[in-house]
Amino acid sequence: MKVNGKDLNPVSPMTVEDLVLSTGRVPDRVAVELNGKIVPRAEYPRILLKEDDSVEIVGFVGGG
Amino acid sequence: MLPSRDELEAALCKRHSPEVHGAISKARIGIAGLGGLGSNIAAMLTRAGASHLTIADFDDVEITNINRQNYYLRHIGTAKTDATEEVLKMINPYMTVVKNKVRLDPYNIPGIFGGCDIVCEAFDVPAQKAMLINTLLEKCPGVKVASGSGMAGYGRSDDIRTERLFADLYIHGDGVDMEGVRGGLMSPRVNICAAHMANTVIALLLEGDP
């Protein structure tokens, strides 16, 4: 699969939540787009990623 | 004496061209959060001719806001929505400002911002930023989002960047959390980020792309 433009081949099946955590990010501080569509936060633990998926993860930092 | 509405319109058309002014003045722009980013974005867009702003913030102006937010000492203790409206109407008394003094949540966001062309995410807490952006992208189809992420400290002006990350999401900043940054949030760098965001709004309105 592609994650933020880079190839990633996980050894075991991963949910969106697993992927976000594996990048060191906090799931409540990100937005995730899967194949061009926003993923609702509640769906992160329920969606199993597939080989041909393309994922974009944006993390947010403090200050404004 | 205040200039008339027609005089102001004519001045903006003269400066920006009637075509550009038309596109900016008819747009509906939302600003969520009226701190260092939001209060300054609102003023910049109003100077640029934006005439329909929907603003939201639950807070009042505090003395510690004056270092970077677009308020004056006499605003301390005033709702940020009221203080922002007052500042904006000194620039354009004829514009429409829809004020929402509320804490934004997934239930009220679609009703407040659903009719906007573009919404600026100008919160300061990461989880709140994520909540707002996720709600807008999920529940307000067609609304584009400009978000600020990382603008603390001083120097490193060129580290503040504009990036399109999702189809309808543009991120502005250096991606560095304010925690531990020397000087904390300071006016010049917060304004650089606010200007990136206001600039994205105008580019999206005029070109469909920054």
Side-chain angles (χ1 to χ4, degrees):
Chain A
M1 69 181 92
K2 279 224 185 290
V3 178
N4 290 356
K6 288 185 186 141
D7 287 317
L8 184 81
N9 298 302
V11 281
S12 52
M14 255 187 160
T15 63
V16 171
E17 180 111 349
D18 295 332
L19 176 65
V20 170
L21 290 169
S22 78
T23 66
R25 292 185 174 92
V26 181
D28 284 335
R29 297 182 179 186
V30 301
V32 179
E33 202 180 51
L34 173 59
N35 303 323
K37 284 192 75 177
I38 192 81
V39 183
R41 171 66 184 93
E43 300 292 314
Y44 291 4
R46 296 180 205 151
I47 296 177
L48 213 50
L49 292 165
K50 299 187 297 288
E51 212 174 286
D52 57 350
D53 279 338
S54 175
V55 189
E56 292 287 328
I57 304 172
V58 188
F60 301 102
V61 303
Chain B
M1 213 177 74
L2 281 179
S4 69
R5 179 181 219 136
D6 287 348
E7 285 173 313
L8 266 188
E9 294 284 320
L12 284 159
C13 286
K14 189 175 173 192
R15 278 284 162 190
H16 299 156
S17 83
E19 177 209 352
V20 165
H21 178 58
I24 295 173
S25 64
K26 74 166 200 268
R28 293 180 187 272
I29 303 163
I31 301 177
L34 296 170
L37 293 175
S39 65
N40 287 302
I41 292 167
M44 278 186 263
L45 290 176
T46 299
R47 285 192 193 283
S51 303
H52 303 278
L53 294 191
T54 296
I55 60 175
D57 198 301
F58 64 87
D59 232 341
D60 296 336
V61 178
E62 290 179 30
I63 192 168
T64 52
N65 300 151
I66 304 297
N67 80 317
R68 68 190 189 284
Q69 305 186 15
N70 197 28
Y71 304 114
Y72 299 87
L73 294 178
R74 68 187 155 82
H75 291 129
I76 292 169
T78 307
K80 288 187 176 178
T81 45
D82 291 335
T84 295
E85 181 187 41
E86 188 196 316
V87 170
L88 299 183
K89 296 230 161 161
M90 287 195 289
I91 302 167
N92 181 353
Y94 310 106
M95 71 184 300
T96 310
V97 181
V98 179
K99 297 183 287 183
N100 298 273
K101 184 176 168 45
V102 289
R103 201 176 277 274
L104 291 169
D105 62 40
Y107 305 100
N108 62 22
I109 288 166
I112 291 172
F113 292 118
C116 290
D117 300 300
I118 305 170
V119 175
C120 297
E121 176 283 307
F123 284 172
D124 53 0
V125 177
Q128 289 296 303
K129 288 173 177 279
M131 180 278 294
L132 174 68
I133 287 165
N134 280 307
T135 305
L136 287 168
L137 295 178
E138 209 185 305
K139 304 208 174 128
C140 307
V143 176
K144 292 179 165 41
V145 182
S147 167
S149 196
M151 71 300 293
Y154 52 86
R156 300 174 292 113
S157 300
D158 293 345
D159 287 2
I160 306 259
R161 298 174 308 274
T162 296
E163 274 185 291
R164 182 182 193 173
L165 288 186
F166 295 176
D168 289 328
L169 176 63
Y170 297 81
I171 301 276
H172 312 75
D174 63 8
V176 178
D177 192 272
M178 64 178 281
E179 199 62 41
V181 176
R182 190 170 184 226
L185 294 167
M186 304 178 81
S187 176
R189 213 155 182 274
V190 169
N191 269 284
I192 290 171
C193 190
H196 268 255
M197 293 172 69
N199 206 18
T200 290
V201 169
I202 292 172
L204 284 170
L205 293 174
L206 297 176
E207 308 286 340
D209 193 2

Coordinates of all heavy atoms in Angstrom, one line a residue, chain B residues 24-99:
Chain B
I24 N -14.2 37.7 -4.6 CA -13.9 37.7 -3.2 C -15.1 38.1 -2.3 O -15.4 37.6 -1.3 CB -12.7 38.6 -2.9 CG1 -11.4 38.0 -3.6 CG2 -12.4 38.7 -1.4 CD1 -10.2 38.9 -3.5
S25 N -15.8 39.2 -2.8 CA -16.8 39.8 -2.0 C -18.1 38.9 -1.9 O -18.9 39.0 -1.0 CB -17.2 41.2 -2.5 OG -17.8 41.1 -3.8
K26 N -18.3 38.0 -2.9 CA -19.5 37.2 -2.8 C -19.2 35.9 -2.1 O -20.2 35.2 -1.7 CB -20.1 36.9 -4.2 CG -19.3 35.9 -5.1 CD -20.2 35.5 -6.2 CE -19.8 34.2 -6.9 NZ -18.9 34.4 -8.0
A27 N -18.0 35.5 -1.8 CA -17.7 34.3 -1.1 C -18.1 34.2 0.3 O -18.2 35.3 1.0 CB -16.2 34.0 -1.1
R28 N -18.5 33.0 0.8 CA -18.8 32.8 2.2 C -17.7 32.1 2.9 O -17.4 31.0 2.5 CB -20.2 32.0 2.3 CG -21.3 32.9 1.8 CD -22.7 32.4 1.8 NE -23.5 33.3 1.1 CZ -24.1 34.4 1.6 NH1 -24.0 34.6 2.9 NH2 -24.8 35.2 0.9
I29 N -17.1 32.8 3.8 CA -15.9 32.3 4.4 C -16.1 32.1 5.9 O -16.6 33.0 6.6 CB -14.7 33.2 4.2 CG1 -14.5 33.5 2.7 CG2 -13.4 32.7 4.8 CD1 -13.7 34.7 2.3
G30 N -15.7 30.9 6.4 CA -15.8 30.6 7.8 C -14.5 30.7 8.5 O -13.4 30.4 7.9
I31 N -14.5 31.2 9.8 CA -13.3 31.2 10.6 C -13.6 30.6 11.9 O -14.4 31.1 12.7 CB -12.7 32.6 10.7 CG1 -12.4 33.2 9.3 CG2 -11.4 32.6 11.6 CD1 -11.9 34.6 9.3
A32 N -13.0 29.4 12.2 CA -13.2 28.7 13.4 C -12.1 28.9 14.4 O -11.0 28.4 14.2 CB -13.4 27.2 13.1
G33 N -12.3 29.7 15.4 CA -11.2 30.1 16.4 C -10.8 31.5 16.0 O -10.4 31.8 14.9
L34 N -10.8 32.4 17.0 CA -10.4 33.8 16.8 C -9.3 34.2 17.7 O -9.3 35.2 18.3 CB -11.7 34.7 17.1 CG -12.8 34.4 16.2 CD1 -14.1 35.2 16.7 CD2 -12.5 34.9 14.7
G35 N -8.2 33.3 17.7 CA -7.0 33.6 18.4 C -6.0 34.3 17.5 O -6.4 35.1 16.7
G36 N -4.7 33.9 17.6 CA -3.7 34.5 16.8 C -3.9 34.3 15.3 O -3.7 35.2 14.5
L37 N -4.3 33.1 14.9 CA -4.6 32.9 13.5 C -5.9 33.5 13.1 O -5.9 34.4 12.2 CB -4.6 31.4 13.2 CG -3.3 30.6 13.3 CD1 -3.5 29.1 13.1 CD2 -2.2 31.1 12.4
G38 N -7.0 33.2 13.7 CA -8.3 33.6 13.2 C -8.5 35.1 13.2 O -9.1 35.6 12.3
S39 N -8.1 35.8 14.3 CA -8.4 37.2 14.4 C -7.6 37.9 13.3 O -8.1 38.9 12.7 CB -8.0 37.8 15.8 OG -6.6 37.7 16.0
N40 N -6.4 37.5 13.0 CA -5.6 38.1 11.9 C -6.1 37.7 10.5 O -6.1 38.6 9.6 CB -4.1 37.8 12.1 CG -3.6 38.5 13.3 OD1 -3.6 39.8 13.4 ND2 -3.1 37.8 14.3
I41 N -6.5 36.5 10.3 CA -7.0 36.0 9.0 C -8.3 36.9 8.7 O -8.5 37.3 7.6 CB -7.4 34.5 9.1 CG1 -6.1 33.7 9.1 CG2 -8.2 34.1 7.8 CD1 -6.4 32.2 9.5
A42 N -9.2 37.0 9.7 CA -10.4 37.8 9.5 C -10.1 39.2 9.0 O -10.8 39.7 8.1 CB -11.2 37.8 10.8
A43 N -9.1 39.8 9.7 CA -8.8 41.2 9.3 C -8.2 41.3 7.9 O -8.6 42.1 7.1 CB -7.9 41.8 10.3
M44 N -7.3 40.3 7.6 CA -6.7 40.4 6.2 C -7.7 40.1 5.1 O -7.7 40.8 4.1 CB -5.6 39.3 6.2 CG -4.3 39.7 6.8 SD -3.0 38.4 6.5 CE -3.1 37.6 8.0
L45 N -8.6 39.2 5.4 CA -9.6 38.9 4.3 C -10.6 40.0 4.2 O -11.0 40.3 3.1 CB -10.4 37.6 4.7 CG -9.5 36.3 4.5 CD1 -10.3 35.1 5.0 CD2 -9.1 36.1 3.1
T46 N -10.9 40.7 5.3 CA -11.8 41.8 5.2 C -11.2 43.0 4.4 O -11.8 43.6 3.5 CB -12.2 42.3 6.6 OG1 -12.9 41.2 7.2 CG2 -13.1 43.5 6.5
R47 N -9.9 43.2 4.6 CA -9.2 44.2 3.8 C -9.2 43.8 2.4 O -9.2 44.7 1.5 CB -7.7 44.4 4.3 CG -7.6 45.1 5.6 CD -6.2 45.5 5.9 NE -6.1 46.0 7.3 CZ -6.5 47.2 7.7 NH1 -7.0 48.1 6.9 NH2 -6.4 47.5 9.0
A48 N -9.1 42.5 2.1 CA -9.0 42.1 0.7 C -10.4 42.1 0.1 O -10.6 41.7 -1.1 CB -8.5 40.7 0.7
G49 N -11.5 42.4 0.9 CA -12.8 42.6 0.3 C -13.8 41.5 0.6 O -14.9 41.6 0.1
A50 N -13.4 40.5 1.4 CA -14.4 39.5 1.9 C -15.5 40.2 2.6 O -15.3 41.1 3.4 CB -13.7 38.5 2.8
S51 N -16.7 39.8 2.3 CA -17.9 40.6 2.8 C -18.9 39.7 3.6 O -19.9 40.2 4.1 CB -18.6 41.3 1.7 OG -17.7 42.1 1.0
H52 N -18.6 38.4 3.6 CA -19.5 37.5 4.3 C -18.7 36.5 5.1 O -18.2 35.5 4.6 CB -20.4 36.7 3.4 CG -21.2 37.5 2.4 ND1 -22.4 38.1 2.8 CD2 -21.0 37.9 1.2 CE1 -22.9 38.8 1.8 NE2 -22.1 38.7 0.8
L53 N -18.5 36.9 6.4 CA -17.7 36.0 7.3 C -18.6 35.4 8.3 O -19.4 36.1 8.9 CB -16.6 36.8 8.0 CG -15.4 37.4 7.1 CD1 -14.3 37.9 8.0 CD2 -14.9 36.4 6.1
T54 N -18.3 34.1 8.6 CA -19.0 33.4 9.7 C -17.9 33.1 10.7 O -16.9 32.4 10.3 CB -19.7 32.1 9.2 OG1 -20.7 32.5 8.3 CG2 -20.2 31.3 10.4
I55 N -18.0 33.6 11.9 CA -16.9 33.5 12.9 C -17.4 32.7 14.1 O -18.5 32.8 14.4 CB -16.3 34.8 13.3 CG1 -17.3 35.7 13.9 CG2 -15.6 35.5 12.1 CD1 -16.7 37.1 14.4
A56 N -16.5 31.9 14.7 CA -16.9 31.2 15.9 C -15.7 31.1 16.9 O -14.6 30.9 16.5 CB -17.3 29.8 15.5
D57 N -16.1 31.4 18.2 CA -15.1 31.2 19.3 C -15.9 31.4 20.6 O -16.8 32.2 20.6 CB -14.0 32.3 19.3 CG -12.8 31.9 20.1 OD1 -12.9 31.7 21.3 OD2 -11.7 31.8 19.5
F58 N -15.6 30.5 21.6 CA -16.4 30.6 22.8 C -15.7 31.5 23.9 O -16.3 31.8 24.9 CB -16.5 29.2 23.4 CG -15.2 28.6 23.8 CD1 -14.7 28.8 25.1 CD2 -14.5 27.8 22.9 CE1 -13.4 28.3 25.5 CE2 -13.3 27.2 23.3 CZ -12.7 27.5 24.5
D59 N -14.5 32.0 23.6 CA -13.7 32.7 24.6 C -13.9 34.2 24.6 O -14.3 34.8 23.6 CB -12.2 32.4 24.2 CG -11.5 31.8 25.4 OD1 -11.9 32.0 26.5 OD2 -10.4 31.3 25.1
D60 N -13.4 34.8 25.7 CA -13.3 36.3 25.8 C -11.8 36.7 25.6 O -10.9 35.9 25.8 CB -13.7 36.7 27.2 CG -15.2 36.4 27.4 OD1 -16.0 36.3 26.4 OD2 -15.6 36.3 28.6
V61 N -11.6 37.9 25.2 CA -10.2 38.4 25.1 C -9.5 38.5 26.4 O -10.2 39.0 27.4 CB -10.2 39.8 24.4 CG1 -8.8 40.4 24.3 CG2 -10.9 39.7 23.0
E62 N -8.3 38.1 26.5 CA -7.5 38.2 27.8 C -6.3 39.0 27.5 O -5.8 39.1 26.4 CB -7.1 36.8 28.2 CG -8.2 35.9 28.7 CD -7.7 34.5 29.1 OE1 -6.5 34.4 29.5 OE2 -8.4 33.6 29.0
I63 N -5.7 39.4 28.6 CA -4.5 40.3 28.5 C -3.4 39.6 27.8 O -2.6 40.2 27.1 CB -4.1 40.9 29.9 CG1 -3.0 42.0 29.7 CG2 -3.6 39.8 30.8 CD1 -2.7 42.8 31.0
T64 N -3.3 38.2 28.0 CA -2.2 37.4 27.4 C -2.4 37.2 25.9 O -1.6 36.6 25.2 CB -2.1 36.1 28.1 OG1 -3.4 35.5 28.1 CG2 -1.6 36.2 29.5
N65 N -3.5 37.6 25.3 CA -3.8 37.5 23.9 C -3.2 38.6 23.1 O -3.0 38.5 21.9 CB -5.3 37.5 23.6 CG -6.1 36.4 24.3 OD1 -7.3 36.5 24.6 ND2 -5.4 35.3 24.5
I66 N -3.0 39.8 23.8 CA -2.6 41.0 23.0 C -1.3 40.9 22.3 O -1.0 41.6 21.3 CB -2.6 42.2 24.0 CG1 -4.0 42.3 24.7 CG2 -2.3 43.5 23.3 CD1 -5.2 42.6 23.9
N67 N -0.4 39.9 22.7 CA 0.9 39.8 22.1 C 0.8 39.4 20.7 O 1.8 39.5 19.9 CB 1.8 38.8 22.9 CG 1.4 37.4 22.6 OD1 0.3 37.0 22.5 ND2 2.5 36.5 22.4
R68 N -0.3 38.8 20.2 CA -0.4 38.3 18.9 C -1.7 38.3 18.2 O -1.9 38.1 17.0 CB 0.1 36.8 18.8 CG -0.8 35.9 19.5 CD -0.2 34.5 19.7 NE -1.2 33.5 20.2 CZ -1.6 33.4 21.4 NH1 -1.2 34.3 22.3 NH2 -2.5 32.5 21.8
Q69 N -2.8 38.5 19.0 CA -4.1 38.5 18.4 C -4.6 39.9 18.1 O -4.1 40.9 18.7 CB -5.1 37.8 19.4 CG -4.5 36.4 19.8 CD -5.5 35.6 20.7 OE1 -6.6 35.9 20.8 NE2 -4.9 34.5 21.3
N70 N -5.5 40.0 17.1 CA -5.8 41.3 16.6 C -6.8 42.1 17.4 O -7.9 42.4 16.9 CB -6.3 41.1 15.1 CG -6.2 42.4 14.3 OD1 -5.4 43.3 14.6 ND2 -7.1 42.6 13.4
Y71 N -6.5 42.3 18.7 CA -7.4 43.0 19.6 C -6.6 44.1 20.3 O -5.4 44.1 20.2 CB -7.9 42.0 20.7 CG -8.6 40.8 20.1 CD1 -8.1 39.5 20.2 CD2 -9.8 41.0 19.3 CE1 -8.7 38.4 19.7 CE2 -10.4 39.9 18.8 CZ -9.9 38.6 19.0 OH -10.5 37.5 18.4
Y72 N -7.3 45.0 21.0 CA -6.7 46.1 21.7 C -7.1 46.0 23.2 O -8.0 45.2 23.5 CB -7.2 47.4 21.0 CG -6.8 47.5 19.6 CD1 -7.6 46.9 18.6 CD2 -5.5 48.0 19.2 CE1 -7.1 46.8 17.3 CE2 -5.1 47.9 17.9 CZ -5.9 47.4 16.9 OH -5.5 47.3 15.6
L73 N -6.4 46.8 24.0 CA -6.5 46.6 25.4 C -8.0 46.8 25.9 O -8.4 46.1 26.8 CB -5.6 47.6 26.2 CG -4.1 47.3 26.0 CD1 -3.3 48.4 26.7 CD2 -3.7 45.9 26.5
R74 N -8.7 47.7 25.2 CA -10.1 47.9 25.6 C -11.0 46.7 25.4 O -12.1 46.7 25.8 CB -10.6 49.2 24.9 CG -10.8 49.0 23.5 CD -11.2 50.4 22.9 NE -10.9 50.5 21.5 CZ -11.6 49.9 20.5 NH1 -12.7 49.3 20.7 NH2 -11.2 50.0 19.2
H75 N -10.5 45.7 24.6 CA -11.3 44.5 24.3 C -11.2 43.5 25.4 O -11.9 42.5 25.4 CB -10.9 43.9 23.0 CG -11.2 44.7 21.8 ND1 -10.3 45.0 20.8 CD2 -12.4 45.3 21.4 CE1 -10.9 45.7 19.9 NE2 -12.2 45.9 20.2
I76 N -10.3 43.6 26.4 CA -10.1 42.6 27.4 C -11.4 42.4 28.2 O -12.1 43.4 28.6 CB -8.9 43.0 28.4 CG1 -7.6 43.0 27.7 CG2 -8.9 42.1 29.6 CD1 -6.5 43.6 28.4
G77 N -11.8 41.2 28.3 CA -13.1 40.8 28.9 C -14.3 40.8 27.9 O -15.4 40.3 28.3
T78 N -14.1 41.2 26.7 CA -15.1 41.2 25.6 C -15.1 39.8 24.9 O -14.0 39.2 24.8 CB -14.9 42.3 24.6 OG1 -14.7 43.5 25.3 CG2 -16.0 42.4 23.6
A79 N -16.2 39.3 24.5 CA -16.2 38.1 23.7 C -15.4 38.3 22.4 O -15.5 39.4 21.8 CB -17.7 37.7 23.3
K80 N -14.6 37.3 22.1 CA -13.8 37.5 20.9 C -14.6 37.7 19.6 O -14.2 38.4 18.7 CB -12.9 36.2 20.7 CG -11.7 36.2 21.7 CD -10.7 35.1 21.4 CE -9.6 35.2 22.5 NZ -8.6 34.2 22.3
T81 N -15.8 37.1 19.6 CA -16.7 37.3 18.4 C -17.1 38.7 18.3 O -17.1 39.3 17.2 CB -17.9 36.4 18.5 OG1 -18.5 36.4 19.9 CG2 -17.6 34.9 18.2
D82 N -17.4 39.3 19.5 CA -17.9 40.8 19.4 C -16.7 41.7 19.1 O -16.8 42.6 18.3 CB -18.4 41.2 20.8 CG -19.8 40.5 21.1 OD1 -20.5 40.1 20.1 OD2 -20.1 40.3 22.2
A83 N -15.5 41.4 19.7 CA -14.3 42.2 19.5 C -13.9 42.1 18.0 O -13.6 43.1 17.4 CB -13.2 41.8 20.4
T84 N -14.0 40.9 17.5 CA -13.6 40.7 16.0 C -14.5 41.5 15.1 O -14.1 42.2 14.2 CB -13.6 39.2 15.7 OG1 -12.5 38.6 16.4 CG2 -13.3 39.0 14.2
E85 N -15.8 41.4 15.4 CA -16.8 42.1 14.6 C -16.5 43.6 14.6 O -16.5 44.3 13.6 CB -18.2 41.8 15.1 CG -19.3 42.6 14.2 CD -20.7 42.5 14.8 OE1 -20.8 42.6 16.1 OE2 -21.6 42.3 14.0
E86 N -16.2 44.1 15.8 CA -15.9 45.5 15.9 C -14.7 45.9 15.1 O -14.7 46.9 14.4 CB -15.7 45.9 17.4 CG -15.6 47.4 17.7 CD -15.0 47.7 19.0 OE1 -15.3 47.0 20.0 OE2 -14.1 48.6 19.1
V87 N -13.6 45.1 15.2 CA -12.4 45.4 14.4 C -12.7 45.4 12.9 O -12.3 46.3 12.1 CB -11.3 44.4 14.8 CG1 -10.1 44.6 13.8 CG2 -10.8 44.7 16.2
L88 N -13.4 44.3 12.5 CA -13.7 44.2 11.1 C -14.6 45.3 10.5 O -14.4 45.8 9.4 CB -14.4 42.8 10.8 CG -13.7 41.6 11.2 CD1 -14.5 40.3 10.8 CD2 -12.3 41.5 10.5
K89 N -15.5 45.8 11.4 CA -16.5 46.8 10.9 C -15.8 48.2 10.8 O -16.3 49.1 10.2 CB -17.7 46.8 11.7 CG -18.5 45.5 11.5 CD -19.9 45.7 11.2 CE -20.5 44.4 10.6 NZ -21.9 44.3 10.6
M90 N -14.6 48.3 11.5 CA -13.8 49.5 11.3 C -13.1 49.5 9.9 O -12.8 50.5 9.3 CB -12.7 49.7 12.3 CG -13.3 50.0 13.7 SD -12.1 50.6 14.8 CE -11.2 49.1 15.2
I91 N -13.0 48.3 9.3 CA -12.4 48.2 7.9 C -13.6 48.2 6.9 O -13.4 48.9 5.9 CB -11.6 46.9 7.8 CG1 -10.5 46.8 8.8 CG2 -11.1 46.7 6.4 CD1 -9.9 45.4 9.0
N92 N -14.7 47.5 7.2 CA -15.8 47.6 6.3 C -17.1 47.5 7.1 O -17.5 46.4 7.5 CB -15.7 46.4 5.3 CG -16.9 46.4 4.3 OD1 -17.8 47.2 4.4 ND2 -16.8 45.5 3.3
P93 N -17.8 48.6 7.3 CA -19.0 48.6 8.1 C -20.2 48.0 7.4 O -21.2 47.7 8.1 CB -19.3 50.1 8.4 CG -18.5 50.8 7.3 CD -17.4 50.0 6.9
Y94 N -20.0 47.7 6.1 CA -21.2 47.2 5.4 C -21.2 45.7 5.2 O -22.1 45.1 4.6 CB -21.2 47.9 4.0 CG -21.1 49.4 4.1 CD1 -20.0 50.0 3.8 CD2 -22.2 50.1 4.6 CE1 -19.9 51.4 3.9 CE2 -22.1 51.5 4.8 CZ -20.9 52.1 4.4 OH -20.8 53.5 4.6
M95 N -20.1 45.0 5.7 CA -20.0 43.6 5.5 C -20.9 42.8 6.5 O -21.5 43.4 7.4 CB -18.6 43.1 5.8 CG -18.2 43.2 7.3 SD -16.5 42.8 7.6 CE -16.4 41.1 7.0
T96 N -21.1 41.5 6.2 CA -21.9 40.7 7.1 C -21.0 39.8 7.9 O -20.2 39.1 7.4 CB -22.8 39.7 6.2 OG1 -23.5 40.5 5.2 CG2 -23.8 39.0 7.1
V97 N -21.2 39.9 9.2 CA -20.4 39.0 10.1 C -21.5 38.2 10.9 O -22.3 38.8 11.7 CB -19.6 39.9 11.1 CG1 -18.8 38.9 12.0 CG2 -18.6 40.8 10.4
V98 N -21.4 36.9 10.7 CA -22.3 36.0 11.5 C -21.5 35.5 12.7 O -20.5 34.8 12.5 CB -22.8 34.8 10.6 CG1 -23.7 33.9 11.4 CG2 -23.6 35.4 9.4
K99 N -21.9 35.8 13.9 CA -21.1 35.5 15.1 C -21.7 34.3 15.8 O -22.9 34.2 16.0 CB -21.2 36.7 16.1 CG -20.5 38.0 15.6 CD -20.6 39.0 16.6 CE -22.0 39.6 16.9 NZ -22.0 40.7 17.9

